[in-house]
Amino acid sequence: MASYSRQGTGLTGRPKGSPPPRRMTIPFAQKAKLPPPENPALKQAVYPVYLLKWEKLKAFLEERFPGYTFQERRVNNDHYLFEIPEDLTQAYAARLDTAEPNLLTKPEAELYVPFRDLYPACQGPKTHNILSDDVLRKWLGDQSSIDPLTSTRNGAIATKADPICRFIFISGGNSREPLKISRRMLTRILTYHQVMPCYLDFMSVFGLSKSARELRFSGFRAQVLLKNPAPDSAIPDLGRSGRHFQMCYNLKSVARVPDEKRVLWSIRQAAIYHQFDIEKGTALWIVTKGNLEIKDRIKTLTGKDGRAEDRAFDTPEQCLKSSLAVHLLHCHWSTEDWRWYVQSLEDQIDTETEIAVHGPRGNGEAVRGYTSADLQTLQNYQDKMNEIIMILEANNDVLASLRDFYKAMHEDSTFTLGNACCEELTLFAKQIDELKHDSAMQVSRARLLVQITSDRKNLVSWRILINARGGSMLMLK
């Protein structure tokens, strides 16, 4: 096997809220045709037209570089051409600089990144808990070293072919603790596997914090390169044809927190990255989550007790079917327990307002003495219901994007696996729609409860007003 002494692609930029490009590079022949910069102090940059409107790119550039104006220009009608004061690559590096103190772990004793590598022909999984960057280098097959005298790199960086399916689990104990991975390890993984840089945006919701962070952040990003792969993406000896798609998205779930005194619920986030080579069938998954709950589910799904079709990797078609099963695992996780969380809040609201709704109504009858603290409690419940609505609608948007992505792939003539996996892709879309419908039902229920809570807040406010005026009512202590 040939050895490679270069690293993968580095960080690149992308407009927030827009689909990522197929590739930030263009062929040298096209680069030679680029017109000279209008302003020599600026740098020329290109961005693929694929699935991206100029308005979105322009808005991103104007936000990123205030005071500059941008006009739509194209090269060969498939790339936008614009001039910027600094490389977009630096934007993500700067973002990682800012996030590192709270996001990543520095003490090596606390590093912990489990790998789960799967192979065809029932070879069984190879698992390893990576506890340092040196161990990570060896696991990835990096045999290079830096000469201390010349500062040059010697040896091959990549010597091991990728497994047919690799899972990397990044966690922090919980979502409010730093992730148990160092910056060097993270950049090594992202660079070696040529991961789309916007995955950093999805990881940034984790890290040291007193409360859950960025629950309003949600998204789905994808890159597709099915034909004419860039030279730096095709590495046959590593099992990479260059014809692949990759995506990242985040989902949220809710779980009951054990507590003997109170009913507590916690909203959990997961940031998921997936890459699939349509020619070789190799797949990569990176799951970032507060704990390792999804790791345990993946182990069950792809273990000896899992369904045979979910752990079959002998052909690219089987690999694609297995990847759809992993997506569904994440989607099912995101829809669990919301029904019971809504029911719990409904029960608590009923308990708090029972006297106000069903209690005594006539003068001289004893009633509960409500206070402003009761209004605050009800407002807190109402805020939680609105939060549920927001999260479930965001989850449904992600599920719809995931379904639409594979639907578009199925209809793409260059996606050679579409016909062979037609039945599985159709069933996948149907199952996603069923999950979306279940979530939509909980959204409707939550909206109704928000209105009920609002009405009962008004009733409690009236009770407080009557008690404050004295009236002829007696207060029951």
Side-chain angles (χ1 to χ4, degrees), residues 3-203:
S3 297
Y4 287 80
S5 57
R6 64 163 181 80
Q7 295 195 16
T9 57
L11 299 176
T12 55
R14 58 138 187 93
K16 185 176 181 181
S18 64
R22 288 178 176 175
R23 207 72 186 163
M24 288 299 295
T25 58
I26 60 175
F28 291 110
Q30 285 186 241
K31 287 184 179 180
K33 299 177 182 179
L34 295 181
E38 296 180 356
N39 185 342
L42 300 179
K43 299 180 180 179
Q44 284 190 336
V46 292
Y47 197 92
V49 175
Y50 175 69
L51 289 180
L52 178 63
K53 293 183 178 180
W54 168 252
E55 290 75 16
K56 287 187 176 181
L57 177 59
K58 181 181 178 182
F60 167 78
L61 293 173
E62 290 176 345
E63 179 183 0
R64 180 71 183 83
F65 306 110
Y68 290 86
T69 57
F70 301 92
Q71 302 295 327
E72 182 175 0
R73 302 166 65 193
R74 297 196 181 192
V75 180
N76 290 350
N77 207 38
D78 61 0
H79 279 76
Y80 297 118
L81 173 66
F82 48 91
E83 297 174 1
I84 51 180
E86 66 177 0
D87 193 342
L88 286 174
T89 301
Q90 300 174 13
Y92 278 97
R95 190 170 303 177
L96 189 56
D97 289 337
T98 303
E100 182 180 5
N102 292 328
L103 179 65
L104 306 176
T105 295
K106 292 185 177 179
E108 189 166 301
E110 300 176 9
L111 301 178
Y112 182 75
V113 183
F115 273 58
R116 182 177 179 84
D117 293 348
L118 304 176
Y119 296 86
C122 301
Q123 296 181 34
K126 292 183 179 180
T127 61
H128 195 70
N129 297 327
I130 306 297
L131 305 179
S132 69
D133 183 60
D134 287 338
V135 176
L136 175 62
R137 288 178 61 251
K138 295 177 182 178
W139 188 259
L140 295 177
D142 184 350
Q143 299 179 359
S144 66
S145 60
I146 302 295
D147 189 320
L149 298 179
T150 62
S151 298
T152 57
R153 183 181 294 275
N154 300 317
I157 292 177
T159 61
K160 293 172 61 176
D162 295 335
I164 197 66
C165 182
R166 166 169 284 167
F167 293 93
I168 303 174
F169 302 98
I170 302 174
S171 66
N174 61 65
S175 62
R176 302 173 191 178
E177 294 293 332
L179 298 174
K180 297 180 179 180
I181 186 171
S182 67
R183 176 166 181 163
R184 182 180 292 273
M185 292 171 65
L186 177 61
T187 54
R188 186 182 300 278
I189 289 172
L190 299 184
T191 302
Y192 180 84
H193 285 292
Q194 301 173 296
V195 173
M196 54 199 298
C198 64
Y199 185 58
L200 287 173
D201 290 337
F202 292 83
M203 294 183 66

